[in-house]
Amino acid sequence: MQENFQYKNITIGTDPEFFIQNSDGKLISSIGIIEGTKDVPNRLKFLGSGFAIQKDNVLGEFNVPHGYSAQEVSNSISIMKAYISGLLESKGLHPLYAASGEYDDDQLQSDEAKEFGCSPDFNAWTNGVNKKPEGTTTTLRSAGCHCHVGYDGKTAKRSRDVIKALDVFIGIPSVIIDTDTKRRSLYGKAGCFRHTMFGCEYRTPSGFFLSDPKLTEWLFGQIFEAINYLNEFGIEEINNDGTWIVETINSGNINEAKKIVEKYKINLKY
């Protein structure tokens, strides 16, 4: 029997990751360039409450305040991107917003550069723990654009349902929009999430979604499309299509993704 529950008072946010390049296009480690860590982020109070930056493995990562609309969060991201560009330009570097990248060995010598993942994430479809990638065996690194979703009346089961709906409204279109095929060997498979104090964090989308402000706003707008679907139709049909959804995302099957987009009437325009 389907639960009669309405998701209300939705807040959204993100903590995206980004690459750093030099003028020759070489990827440069954030270690020694970006101040702040996961435990002690560099809080940028002059930008406002909720803005912060830190290093994450060899990438940079930033935080923006949670908001109530896609445009609000997208605007906050634009503020941070402008700050990051200025910070890196002063060092002869620039940011790259992409899904994955290969580093030269000289950028991966420290233990910190080889350490993946600060804490485990989970699979909403199996309710199991995802295996942590091994950073000592690859020079590939990936960037996420994690989506934070807060709502009233949070439970573990409701959060998993949100993640499944986000797989439909973000993960599936991502197969078509984001053509990078390397990131999923490390991160970004279907149903990837964490429970949070405010609700849940969807970890499937990549840093590619920061490459265009219109694409960024589309991404966060899709959160509300997913919530609206759950409030109107519930999770039953998505659960019925679960195997189809998961296999399509994990394999990057564009033809099957287009079929799911058509079935759920997903907007791909941004």
Side-chain angles (χ1 to χ4, degrees):
M1 185 175 178
Q2 190 157 297
E3 181 186 33
N4 183 21
F5 175 78
Q6 294 288 292
Y7 293 86
K8 296 179 180 179
N9 295 327
I10 307 302
T11 59
I12 60 174
T14 186
D15 57 345
E17 299 155 348
F18 61 94
F19 296 94
I20 299 173
Q21 280 186 325
N22 66 14
S23 58
D24 295 325
K26 177 178 177 174
L27 294 180
I28 304 298
S29 171
S30 65
I31 300 169
I33 295 173
I34 300 291
E35 294 183 12
T37 64
K38 288 279 192 180
D39 294 331
V40 187
N42 180 16
R43 301 193 184 279
L44 308 174
K45 295 181 180 179
F46 57 91
L47 294 180
S49 177
F51 290 94
I53 191 169
Q54 58 269 338
K55 55 185 177 292
D56 182 3
N57 190 267
V58 289
L59 279 73
E61 179 181 311
F62 66 86
N63 309 97
V64 296
H66 282 186
Y68 296 91
S69 71
Q71 184 174 14
E72 184 181 359
V73 172
S74 182
N75 288 346
S76 293
I77 289 171
S78 293
I79 290 171
M80 275 302 305
K81 286 173 68 177
Y83 167 80
I84 290 166
S85 291
L87 173 69
L88 295 181
E89 283 172 8
S90 69
K91 303 174 186 293
L93 303 168
H94 61 271
L96 173 67
Y97 300 102
S100 68
E102 294 275 359
Y103 283 81
D104 292 345
D105 287 335
D106 65 336
Q107 300 298 308
L108 302 173
Q109 294 306 305
S110 69
D111 290 340
E112 186 177 357
K114 297 172 184 176
E115 178 66 22
F116 278 172
C118 52
S119 58
D121 54 28
F122 300 86
N123 184 326
W125 298 95
T126 66
N127 202 22
V129 179
N130 289 324
K131 184 178 179 180
K132 184 177 173 181
E134 174 54 63
T136 61
T137 60
T138 180
T139 60
L140 179 70
R141 296 294 185 269
S142 68
C145 186
H146 307 150
C147 298
H148 301 171
V149 185
Y151 62 94
D152 289 349
K154 69 181 177 69
T155 67
K157 193 269 181 187
R158 290 167 184 166
S159 288
R160 290 195 301 273
D161 288 350
V162 169
I163 300 302
K164 292 176 182 179
L166 291 175
D167 262 355
V168 173
F169 285 88
I170 293 177
I172 288 295
S174 294
V175 171
I176 301 168
I177 295 170
D178 181 1
T179 57
D180 180 276
T181 58
K182 294 180 179 179
R183 178 173 175 261
R184 288 190 199 95
S185 67
L186 300 176
Y187 288 111
K189 291 184 174 64
C192 186
F193 84 109
R194 284 184 183 144
H195 292 289
T196 66
M197 62 184 296
F198 48 79
C200 52
E201 177 188 68
Y202 182 52
R203 296 173 59 82
T204 299
S206 81
F208 170 76
F209 285 92
L210 271 68
S211 63
D212 182 329
K214 292 181 179 178
L215 183 57
T216 303
E217 189 168 341
W218 174 89
L219 172 70
F220 291 99
Q222 288 300 104
I223 296 174
F224 294 99
E225 293 297 320
I227 296 295
N228 289 342
Y229 180 92
L230 287 176
N231 282 341
E232 185 171 358
F233 300 108
I235 195 64
E236 184 175 6
E237 188 67 16
I238 291 176
N239 277 337
N240 290 340
D241 288 336
T243 300
W244 186 22
I245 294 163
V246 170
E247 290 180 353
T248 297
I249 293 173
N250 290 349
S251 66
N253 191 320
I254 293 176
N255 289 331
E256 291 303 312
K258 288 178 178 178
K259 293 175 185 177
I260 297 172
V261 162
E262 183 177 358
K263 173 175 180 176
Y264 286 89
K265 298 179 173 58
I266 297 168
N267 174 32
L268 294 179
K269 295 180 180 179
Y270 56 89

